[in-house]
């Protein structure tokens, strides 16, 4: 239970970071919410997008998948949300690197910004949360009786032998009395 609670908190933090990341600077001060989702598949352009058509959309979808995964206590859904977040952030980095000839980070604020770090960190947090969660436990099935062991009401069949038959013919009450051995036991 503790693992599910810690995993849920980590998953919510990762989903929050992923959704918040497009509103931070991604590259050279340009916010992620200005990149069109089409730019991820056709190449980054200078055309600015509306918020609803920006790369916020896949991150919001990943956050929705995270919430559904937490409600259902599904590790797989939380992991899928992490993969969606990481996948779109890495795809953006590849497309941006193709346009600029490489990605850079420097102390003056040029290059990769905090938004990319938040998206990558959010995706990693979602994957860690999926690994931390214990998920839902399956109900224990009722034990079934073994069919290969005879029960008192079933007849003996192969490979089992017939019930034990005494080697002597006398009933127990007509047996000769016990006679002690002639010599003491050996040490």
């Amino acid at each position: 239970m503790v693992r599910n609670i810690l995993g849920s908190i980590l998953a919510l933090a990762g989903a929050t970071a992923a959704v918040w990341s497009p509103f931070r600077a991604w590259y050279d001060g340009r916010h992620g919410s200005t990149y069109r989702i089409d730019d991820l598949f056709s190449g980054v352009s200078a055309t600015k997008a509306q918020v609803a058509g920006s790369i916020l959309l896949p991150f919001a979808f990943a956050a929705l998948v995270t919430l559904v995964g937490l409600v259902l206590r599904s590790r797989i859904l939380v992991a899928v949300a992490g993969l969606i977040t990481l996948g779109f952030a890495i795809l953006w980095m590849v497309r941006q690197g193709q346009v600029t000839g490489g990605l850079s980070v420097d102390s003056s604020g040029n290059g990769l910004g905090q938004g990319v770090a938040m998206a990558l960190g959010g995706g990693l947090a979602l994957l860690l949360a999926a690994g931390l969660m214990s998920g839902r436990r399956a109900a224990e099935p009722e034990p079934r009786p073994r069919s290969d062991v005879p029960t008192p009401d079933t007849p003996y069949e192969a490979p089992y032998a017939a019930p034990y038959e005494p080697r002597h013919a006398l009933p127990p009450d007509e047996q000769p009395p016990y006679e002690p051995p002639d010599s003491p036991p050996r040490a």
Side-chain angles (χ1 to χ4, degrees), residues 15 19 58-70 77 81:
V19 171
F59 296 131
F61 178 72
L64 179 66
V65 171
T66 301
L67 290 177
V68 171
L70 291 178
L77 286 177

Side-chain angles (χ1 to χ4, degrees), residues 116-139:
V116 177
M118 286 178 67
L120 293 173
L124 288 175
L126 286 168
L127 289 178
L128 285 173
L132 182 63
M133 291 172 60
S134 62
R136 194 183 325 180
R137 303 269 177 186

Side-chain angles (χ1 to χ4, degrees), residues 68-92:
V68 171
L70 291 178
V71 168
L72 297 177
R73 290 190 339 202
S74 172
R75 297 172 65 182
I76 293 174
L77 286 177
V78 175
V80 165
L83 291 175
I84 290 170
T85 303
L86 283 175
F88 277 96
I90 291 171
L91 182 61
W92 175 87

